[in-house]
Amino acid sequence: MELMEAITQRRSIRKYQDRPVSDDVVRELMDAVMWSPSWANTQCWEVIQVKDPAKREQLQQTISKGNPATKAIVSAPALFVICARLKSSGYYNEKVTTKFGDWFMFDLGIACQSLCLAAQDKGLGSVIVGLFDHDAAGKVIGLPGGHEVVAMVPMGYPAQDVKAPKRRPPEEFMRVDSF
Ligand SMILES: Cc1cc2nc3c(=O)[nH]c(=O)nc-3n(C[C@H](O)[C@H](O)[C@H](O)COP(=O)(O)O)c2cc1C
């Protein structure tokens, strides 16, 4: 698949076929995460694939009411919890280097996009899930200190066609020389 095709055709997919995602495919998806850019190559991501159905249910209970991805946390053939190691991205000698402090959200955003585009390339549909109780989710997966859960990404072979939500055109957001 061409990169621009993957970028433009990727949609958030929340319903999946009853077809497993093999460990080989998962390994290739992790390669995509591995090659993501990060602050000074700090690679502060940690990825937990949750297979245990009981843990899946507990994670689903952390999802905020009304979140359209609620069912996907349990029904998706593959579920990844994307975590960050704190105080590395954006730091030099244990001190923040910019006004933005810890850049883990930025690096994990890129890693999630790599993961979702690689999934798209493999014919998988995925959705980045950010609206849930992160501390409660951390307890479910045994998150150690100095880390945060940032997102969950359920995925599987799509069982739905989704219309692309409207985008702001470049003419609206891109300017030359000044804001
Ligand atoms: C940081 C982030 C958090 C998101 N959180 C959720 C979520 O909690 N639940 C959900 O159903 N979709 C979530 N989404 C998916 C967005 O709703 C979706 O990307 C957006 O509507 C554009 O649609 P598209 O991905 O199909 O292009 C999230 C996306 C991002 C990037």
Side-chain angles (χ1 to χ4, degrees):
M1 186 181 281
E2 293 296 326
L3 180 61
M4 280 308 282
E5 190 189 344
I7 291 172
T8 57
Q9 300 303 303
R10 182 212 54 78
R11 292 280 71 75
S12 290
I13 298 295
R14 300 172 181 85
K15 289 185 182 151
Y16 316 95
Q17 296 170 33
D18 188 17
R19 175 182 163 197
V21 178
S22 74
D23 288 345
D24 286 348
V25 167
V26 168
R27 172 61 213 223
E28 289 184 75
L29 299 177
M30 293 305 119
D31 283 345
V33 172
M34 177 176 85
W35 286 108
S36 299
S38 62
W39 183 287
N41 201 25
T42 39
Q43 305 168 63
C44 69
W45 46 74
E46 305 289 339
V47 180
I48 316 298
Q49 182 178 9
V50 180
K51 297 185 175 183
D52 179 356
K55 285 194 174 171
R56 290 276 204 112
E57 297 224 339
Q58 289 167 29
L59 286 173
Q60 191 181 48
Q61 280 161 24
T62 73
I63 299 286
S64 306
K65 207 166 175 272
N67 191 325
T70 305
K71 280 191 182 151
I73 301 301
V74 165
S75 70
L79 175 71
F80 302 99
V81 180
I82 315 295
C83 312
R85 184 179 70 252
L86 304 179
K87 296 191 173 176
S88 56
S89 179
Y91 282 69
Y92 184 70
N93 284 341
E94 296 179 2
K95 286 203 172 74
V96 295
T97 53
T98 73
K99 66 179 271 192
F100 297 120
D102 198 321
W103 281 64
F104 72 91
M105 293 292 277
F106 195 95
D107 286 357
L108 264 65
I110 296 172
C112 282
Q113 175 75 332
S114 296
L115 176 63
C116 293
L117 288 179
Q120 169 82 2
D121 184 55
K122 304 264 160 237
L124 292 160
S126 64
V127 58
I128 297 170
V129 182
L131 184 61
F132 60 94
D133 181 335
H134 293 78
D135 292 336
K139 286 194 182 113
V140 176
I141 57 154
L143 187 79
H147 293 74
E148 291 285 355
V149 170
V150 172
M152 295 194 233
V153 182
M155 67 172 68
Y157 296 94
Q160 61 176 167
D161 267 338
V162 177
K163 215 170 147 253
K166 205 168 179 304
R167 260 31 187 202
R168 294 171 64 209
E171 295 70 32
E172 192 184 305
F173 63 74
M174 193 248 174
R175 300 162 188 88
V176 178
D177 289 341
S178 57
F179 196 99

